[in-house]
Amino acid sequence: MDVVQLKAETGDSWTASDQLGDLRVWASSVTGSYGVRTGLPPGTALMQIHSGPHGRRRIGGMELGNSDILAGFAGLELTGIVDQQRRGISFVMPIDTVTAALAARAPGSDRVTRGVSPLVLSGCSSRVAALSRLIDAAMCLESEHDRRLAANDITDLLVSTLLSPWHRATETTYRVPILQRLPIVRRAEEFMRARLGDPLSLHDICLAARASQRSVEYAFSSTYGLGPKQYLRVLRLNAVWRALMSQPPKTEKISEIARRHGLWHMGHFATDYCRMFGESPQQARARRWRQ
């Protein structure tokens, strides 16, 4: 998973995980605004719910509500945004378990796991609430036998949720994000990351993305809510933050780190860094190496 901070934090962020039999559960609370790019390993399936009262998710330009469940399958790459204060729970399970259960319960339905795009299941408020309650109870279990029983019930509910639109027995529906703009974003982003310290013009970025300026600007705006040059500056600031967190104070001056990552105007750099991370570069370095 690659995470890029887009805006300032306003509180704490945390992640916790647990293993329930074959089911891996990730609970997270994210404060601020982040661009997230991740891929699903071979042999896995992912389903994700929103479990907090605030915040939002946007996947491939599609806005996800509190009653939406995101589903993705082996080999899928996801690019999206989490914003404000969002709490979520992700379920990762063997894809063979999911496809076998789908095929047994509704022959032919297992083909939903073969798509190259994520699925968004809308109208799932009751199932989101039920999954949240099950997870709250399962996390308190100490017996391994009880934990496997809980994993079985949770997995069964997840499979039933995937099948709901298939049967058309409820108001639950499938939605598929429009992903044709993501290749443009990925080509441009890979070009930027490889040349953070170089003088890059918008024309250079468009050539690398193999798209017109209008297409590149629209692709970045719909994916990250930023223009391509704004996103380049965000990448540079995140790279400086990582350097400050990893290098002892006397290794390299802050101004040298900034210039090495393409940030030549020290006044603008200090202002932008403080606005994004909530403290000055000097304060960040001092706090990190005081610990």
Side-chain angles (χ1 to χ4, degrees):
M1 179 180 292
D2 180 53
V3 178
V4 176
Q5 184 169 329
L6 302 176
K7 296 179 183 176
E9 295 183 13
T10 54
D12 293 332
S13 298
W14 54 264
T15 300
S17 67
D18 200 359
Q19 189 78 35
L20 298 172
D22 290 334
L23 182 68
R24 188 76 177 175
V25 180
W26 296 84
S28 61
S29 176
V30 176
T31 304
S33 180
Y34 296 86
V36 180
R37 182 174 172 180
T38 186
L40 297 181
T44 60
L46 166 77
M47 293 185 70
Q48 185 185 81
I49 66 173
H50 182 99
S51 62
H54 306 293
R56 61 182 180 141
R57 297 167 289 168
R58 192 160 74 239
I59 301 295
M62 176 185 286
E63 193 84 18
L64 275 64
N66 291 357
S67 64
D68 292 336
I69 297 179
L70 174 69
F73 308 100
L76 179 71
E77 286 192 3
L78 297 170
T79 300
I81 294 177
V82 294
D83 206 355
Q84 300 174 35
Q85 185 173 9
R86 178 192 165 270
R87 291 188 178 183
I89 301 173
S90 298
F91 306 90
V92 180
M93 50 208 145
I95 195 168
D96 289 346
T97 301
V98 176
T99 54
L102 289 171
R105 294 170 62 172
S109 65
D110 55 306
R111 69 171 178 261
V112 303
T113 67
R114 301 173 195 156
V116 295
S117 297
L119 285 178
V120 177
L121 293 93
S122 297
C124 300
S125 55
S126 62
R127 293 174 183 270
V128 169
L131 286 165
S132 297
R133 289 194 297 269
L134 285 177
I135 285 298
D136 287 344
M139 292 300 105
C140 301
L141 298 174
E142 296 183 0
S143 162
E144 188 59 35
H145 176 70
D146 290 346
R147 291 165 69 83
R148 286 198 302 270
L149 291 173
N152 183 74
D153 287 346
I154 294 168
T155 302
D156 196 47
L157 179 54
L158 291 169
V159 171
S160 296
T161 301
L162 272 176
L163 277 174
S164 294
W166 185 269
H167 289 314
R168 297 191 177 129
T170 68
E171 295 181 358
T172 306
T173 58
Y174 292 132
R175 291 190 296 159
V176 180
I178 300 172
L179 300 179
Q180 69 263 32
R181 293 183 291 271
L182 284 185
I184 294 175
V185 171
R186 287 170 180 162
R187 287 192 294 267
E189 189 173 350
E190 287 169 5
F191 175 75
M192 294 178 192
R193 288 177 181 273
R195 296 166 177 81
L196 288 180
D198 296 346
L200 299 180
S201 67
L202 181 56
H203 178 66
D204 296 327
I205 296 169
C206 292
L207 287 177
R210 303 198 295 276
S212 68
Q213 177 177 331
R214 182 177 180 179
S215 296
V216 171
E217 289 178 338
Y218 187 69
F220 271 87
S221 177
S222 63
T223 302
Y224 289 123
L226 300 171
K229 291 300 293 282
Q230 290 176 294
Y231 189 72
L232 173 60
R233 190 163 188 82
V234 164
L235 287 179
R236 286 168 167 167
L237 289 167
N238 276 265
V240 171
W241 179 86
R242 286 192 294 270
L244 293 177
M245 294 301 102
S246 62
Q247 292 182 8
K250 295 184 180 180
T251 303
E252 192 176 11
K253 292 181 179 178
I254 291 175
S255 59
E256 293 172 348
I257 296 173
R259 290 190 176 93
R260 181 161 56 82
H261 290 98
L263 299 165
W264 60 271
H265 193 300
M266 291 301 103
H268 290 172
F269 160 67
T271 300
D272 290 345
Y273 187 99
C274 189
R275 183 182 297 123
M276 176 170 291
F277 298 107
E279 59 185 353
S280 70
Q282 293 79 5
Q283 289 171 328
R285 173 174 266 182
R287 176 178 54 80
R288 166 64 179 86
W289 295 102
R290 193 168 53 240
Q291 295 173 352

